[in-house]
Structure formats: structure tokens, C-alpha cells
């Protein structure tokens, strides 16, 4: 659906400021498992100024609206199209080959209809699985969202980092390559969750969710070697 402005904010939550760390470029082409470089280094792109571009933001649901909001603040001159493939939500439970076929097929229709200048894949699972196929098939630039392993490891003082994602995201070679390249000596634990994406989707849709269920999902990332289970949940107030 077309969108030209973000939803109004009802509350602001303060978070600790992390140091600014440049994120890695995303996967460029199919067959990326062969070398680390082919996984993490994207194709050479000639920089160009986009004036009033059309930006397509794609996700499996409404979770990508958080990404859309940040893009809209950065490029208020842009025309936006937000596409959510909620018919196949959640992507984390779909086989990789089926997901590649699904997303590339949908993207072909979206590009033909809306002629975007840039596509943002606002989904970790789709980014780590489908970006190679998308970049191989279409000429327009694609930007993905991947687990924030590089900035987390750069900011960590304990050198212990846990990543909570979909089961598909934590299993992909892309994610493991990020750890090998940007782990900075940290002990990184990957935890796959089959329910957290659905809980987040329900919360963003305004549905009531069980805070205990959310806490149980987040507790799964805590390392028992710390000897303690301390958890602070930041829940934004409802409108």
C-alpha cells in the first residue's frame, strides 16, 4: 500500500546510546557460500543522487513498518510503497528454496507495478536467504536488514553477545559469516525462536499479547554461565 508519512508517535522510550559502527554490505549474488568475501561484500555500485525517489519497503508482515519509519525520516522527499506478504507469514518457517521462489515472484510484480528506484528488504529472514537471487535477477539496488552482530560486538564490554532471531535466520551461513568477520573476539550465541516474530506482529497490530510469553522468549538468550537471570523488559505504553 502507498504510504507518505509515518504513524504519529504516542510515546518515546529512552535507550542507551551505542557507538556508531558502519554496517557490512549485503550478499551480492547466488552461490555465496563459497567464500566469506562473496557472502559479505556486495557488488560495486556507482553512487548517484536520488531526488524524490520511489522506495519499496518489503516484509512478511507489519514488523517492517519500524524500518519504514526510519527511512521516511531520513528521506521525507521520497514516495513510499510498503508491501507485506502476510499470506505466507512467518517466513522463518518456509524452506529456503520455496521462499526464494515466492519473494522473487512477488518482487517481479511489485517492480513492474511501482517502478521503484530502491528496494528495502525489511526482514532478516528474507535478507539472509533471498537477497542473492534478487540481486542476480533485478538491476535496481536492494538493501537488506541483517542481525546487528557487528555493532553489538563492537559495543560489548563483556564479550558475550546473544542473537535472538527466527530459526531460519540463525541457521543461515550469512549469519555465521557475520560472526566470523565481525565478532571481534566475542562469544556469540545464536538462539532461534519460532514464536517471537508472531508476538511482535500481534503487538504492532494492536492485539493483546502475554508479557510472560515474551519474557520466556527473551530469557532463552541468557547465558546460564553468568550465574544470574536478570531481565529488564522495555514495553512502550499503549495509546
Amino acid at each position: 500500500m502507498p504510504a507518505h508519512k509515518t504513524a504519529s508517535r504516542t510515546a518515546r522510550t529512552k535507550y542507551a546510546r551505542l557507538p556508531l559502527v558502519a554496517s557490512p554490505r549485503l550478499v551480492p549474488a547466488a552461490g555465496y557460500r563459497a567464500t566469506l568475501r562473496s557472502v559479505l561484500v556486495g557488488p560495486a555500485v556507482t553512487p548517484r543522487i536520488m531526488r524524490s525517489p520511489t522506495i519499496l519497503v518489503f516484509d512478511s508482515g507489519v514488523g517492517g513498518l519500524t524500518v519504514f519509519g526510519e527511512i521516511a525520516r531520513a528521506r521525507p522527499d521520497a514516495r513510499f510503497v510498503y508491501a507485506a506478504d502476510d499470506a505466507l507469514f512467518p517466513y522463518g518457517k518456509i524452506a529456503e528454496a520455496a521462499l526464494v521462489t515466492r519473494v522473487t515472484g512477488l518482487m517481479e510484480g511489485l517492480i513492474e507495478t511501482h517502478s521503484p528506484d530502491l528496494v528495502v528488504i525489511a526482514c532478516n529472514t528474507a535478507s539472509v536467504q533471498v537477497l542473492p537471487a534478487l540481486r542476480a535477477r533485478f538491476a535496481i539496488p536492494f538493501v537488506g536488514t541483517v542481525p546487528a552482530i557487528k555493532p553489538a560486538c563492537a559495543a560489548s564490554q563483556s564479550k558475550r553477545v546473544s542473537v535472538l532471531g527466527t530459526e531460519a535466520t540463525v541457521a543461515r551461513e550469512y549469519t555465521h559469516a557475520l560472526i566470523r568477520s565481525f565478532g571481534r573476539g566475542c562469544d556469540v550465541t545464536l538462539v532461534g525462536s519460532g514464536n517471537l516474530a508472531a508476538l511482535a506482529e500481534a503487538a504492532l497490530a494492536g492485539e493483546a499479547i502475554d508479557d510472560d510469553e515474551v519474557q520466556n522468549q527473551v530469557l532463552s538468550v541468557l547465558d546460564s554461565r553468568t550465574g544470574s537471570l536478570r531481565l529488564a523488559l522495555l514495553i512502550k505504553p499503549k495509546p
Side-chain angles (χ1 to χ4, degrees), residues 164 210-221 231 233:
L164 177 61
D210 187 345
D211 288 347
D212 289 338
E213 189 172 358
V214 175
Q215 179 165 302
N216 289 336
Q217 292 291 311
V218 178
L219 281 172
S220 64
V221 308
L231 176 65
L233 285 179

Side-chain angles (χ1 to χ4, degrees), residues 132-149:
L134 293 174
R135 285 176 169 158
R137 183 165 179 176
F138 304 106
I140 65 175
F142 284 84
V143 178
T145 55
V146 299
I149 291 169

Side-chain angles (χ1 to χ4, degrees), residues 147-164:
I149 291 169
K150 182 177 182 179
C153 291
S156 176
Q157 296 182 6
S158 67
K159 297 302 180 183
R160 288 182 175 179
V161 174
S162 292
V163 179
L164 177 61

Side-chain angles (χ1 to χ4, degrees), residues 4 21 45 66 132 137 185 192-193 200 216 220 223:
H4 297 275
V21 180
V45 177
T66 56
R137 183 165 179 176
S193 169
N216 289 336
S220 64
D223 189 346

